[in-house]
Amino acid sequence: MPPIMGQYSKAPHQAWAAKIGSFDGFVFVTPEYNHGIPGALKNAIDFLFREWNDKAAGFVSYGGAGGARAVEPLRLVLAEVQMATVRNQVLLSMFTDFENFSVFKPAPKHEASVNGVFDQVIAWGGALKVLRENKRTTLRANHSLNTLQDYAIQP
């Protein structure tokens, strides 16, 4: 069954769907692997569909080029599951923000970038929550109307 159907038969998938469904926005922290995102992150996104819809996403990435080449394809993946990505992002260099390529030692300048990402994700997440609530209300109203029409006596 494709994820767009929302019919998760296994307990781990149901738990993942419930967890993702409970949030209004996300900050994805990802390395850059060969100009892309790790397969595990792609699989985690692809397992669900509606749970991602109309939510905000921000990015913190790291790699040789700050992970920028991972964020760009990730934006396309998230667009397909109907997420809104914010403009601000944090790009961490393996050369300058990690000691010996393993110990995280970010430059002080990144603090403002992180705060910018958080501010945008929180703002967009709140706005999109209103959109999701309005969609649910509209769907319920339409379902009620359709149900009433189904039982209406036809002349």
Side-chain angles (χ1 to χ4, degrees):
M1 188 72 58
I4 197 168
M5 302 302 292
Q7 297 177 10
Y8 311 114
S9 60
K10 297 186 167 119
H13 301 159
Q14 293 166 351
W16 180 237
K19 180 56 76 177
I20 296 305
S22 72
F23 294 108
D24 296 325
F26 303 88
V27 175
F28 290 88
V29 179
T30 184
E32 177 184 321
Y33 289 149
N34 298 321
H35 293 233
I37 61 175
L41 176 56
K42 179 74 164 74
N43 286 339
I45 294 165
D46 287 348
F47 257 102
L48 305 176
F49 182 74
R50 285 191 178 94
E51 293 78 8
W52 298 115
N53 292 177
D54 300 321
K55 295 188 179 178
F59 308 98
V60 175
S61 59
Y62 57 96
R69 297 173 298 198
V71 171
E72 292 311 308
L74 182 54
R75 287 181 189 278
L76 297 174
V77 169
L78 296 179
E80 188 59 28
V81 293
Q82 299 178 19
M83 292 187 80
T85 61
V86 301
R87 181 184 179 277
N88 286 351
Q89 63 188 47
V90 180
L91 302 173
L92 301 169
S93 169
M94 291 300 297
F95 300 104
T96 59
D97 294 309
F98 291 84
E99 186 177 282
N100 297 323
F101 298 98
S102 59
V103 178
F104 185 47
K105 301 265 181 152
K109 67 179 182 178
H110 294 304
E111 186 174 346
S113 297
V114 168
N115 288 334
V117 170
F118 286 159
D119 289 346
Q120 285 187 339
V121 169
I122 290 167
W124 285 45
L128 290 167
K129 181 177 184 177
V130 173
L131 173 72
R132 289 192 314 278
E133 290 169 352
N134 288 342
K135 278 185 173 181
R136 277 194 288 273
T137 301
T138 301
L139 286 173
R140 279 191 212 112
N142 287 341
H143 178 65
S144 296
L145 289 174
N146 290 338
T147 303
L148 290 174
Q149 289 171 352
D150 291 342
Y151 292 103
I153 299 172
Q154 300 296 320

